[in-house]
Amino acid sequence: MTLPRQRGLTEQAADAAIDTACRMLRLPSIRNEFSDIADRAVKDQMTYRGFLAEVLMAECDDRARRRSERRIKAAGFPREKSLRTFDFDANPNIDAATIHTLASCEWIKKSQPLCLIGDSGTGKSHMLISLGTEAAMKGYRVRYTLATKLVNELVEAADEKQLNKTIARYGRVDLLCIDELGYMELDRHGAELLFQVLTEREEKNSVAIASNESFGGWTKTFTDPRLCAAIVDRLTFNGTIIETGTDSYRLASTRARTEQPAKAG
C-alpha cells in the first residue's frame, strides 16, 4: 500500500495521513502523542529537526518502557516491590548505600551472587524483588522463584526426561532470584538437582537468594554436609552477603498499629 503524497494538506487530512502511516510503520507512541507534541512545537517555536527529535524520542522512550514491563512480567515476581518503598530507618541492619550500589547491577554484569540472610519479616523478599525489578528495568533477563517450587519443577522435569532442558532454561537468565531458601528440608535428590542449577550458573550468571537461616543452619535444609558446603560455596564465592537481622519489621508495624488506639483511648 502506498500513501498518496500531497502538498498543502489540511490539518485534518494531515492528522489522518500521520495516523495511517504510524499504523503501517507500527509507531503507536507517535500516533498517540504527535498531536500534543505538534501543539507544543508551535508554542515553543521548535525547528523541524527539534520536532522530529521529540516525536522519535517519544517512541523510543515508550518502547523502552514496554520492554521493561515485559521483562518484569516475565520475571514472575509475586508482587510489586521497589526500593523507593523500603523503610531503611526501620531496619538499620540494611545499609541503604550498599543496596543502592547493588541497584546499579554491576554485580550482575560480573556474574556475582547475592545472599540476603535474616529472620522472617526483616525485608529479605522486599530487597530480592526490588533488586530483581531494577535489573529487569536495566535490560537484564530475570527469573524469580521459591526454592521449593524450583526443586519441585526440577524433580518433575527429571521424571519426564526434561531435566537438561529445564536446567538450561534457568541457566540462561541473567539473574535467578531464589526466595525462601531454608524454610523447608530438601531430600538429597532435590538438593542435588538444585546444586546442578547453581553449578550451571556458576561464574556465568548471577544468583540472588533470600534465606531465613544462617549458613550454619543450612544443614537442616541440605542434610548432606558435603553437598551443603558445596552449595554455600557456590552462593558466596565473590558475592555479597547482607544480614537483615532478627527483628521483624512486619511484627513491629503490627504492634505499632495496635498500640495507637490504646494510647488514644
Side-chain angles (χ1 to χ4, degrees), residues 116-221:
L116 299 160
I117 309 294
D119 282 6
S120 178
T122 56
K124 302 184 305 300
S125 292
H126 192 139
M127 286 291 100
L128 189 68
I129 295 171
S130 297
L131 291 171
T133 300
E134 289 289 332
M137 291 172 63
K138 287 180 170 60
Y140 291 100
R141 294 167 298 174
V142 182
R143 188 76 176 94
Y144 170 96
T145 184
L146 299 177
T148 50
K149 182 179 178 181
L150 174 57
V151 170
N152 288 337
E153 184 178 348
L154 293 170
V155 170
E156 290 177 8
D159 291 341
E160 296 170 2
K161 311 299 183 185
Q162 297 291 317
L163 182 59
N164 289 339
K165 183 178 178 180
T166 302
I167 289 176
R169 187 175 74 249
Y170 277 105
R172 282 193 296 269
V173 296
D174 300 306
L175 173 62
L176 176 59
C177 300
I178 304 176
D179 205 353
E180 297 187 1
L181 185 64
Y183 278 77
M184 294 183 66
E185 178 182 322
L186 301 177
D187 62 25
R188 183 179 177 84
H189 181 50
E192 287 174 345
L193 294 176
L194 178 58
F195 179 70
Q196 287 186 50
V197 171
L198 299 179
T199 300
E200 174 72 17
R201 300 183 59 80
E202 186 180 14
E203 297 188 37
K204 293 188 292 185
N205 296 110
S206 290
V207 176
I209 65 101
S211 176
N212 67 323
E213 281 283 358
S214 63
F215 295 121
W218 278 24
T219 50
K220 289 182 287 186
T221 300

Side-chain angles (χ1 to χ4, degrees), residues 1 3 17-31 52 56 59 63 66:
M1 177 180 177
L3 293 176
I18 293 170
D19 185 88
T20 301
C22 287
R23 289 178 186 274
M24 291 177 62
L25 296 171
R26 298 180 181 178
L27 301 171
S29 300
I30 292 179
R31 181 167 59 84
L52 179 60
L56 291 177
E59 186 67 42
R63 288 190 181 190
R66 292 198 302 271

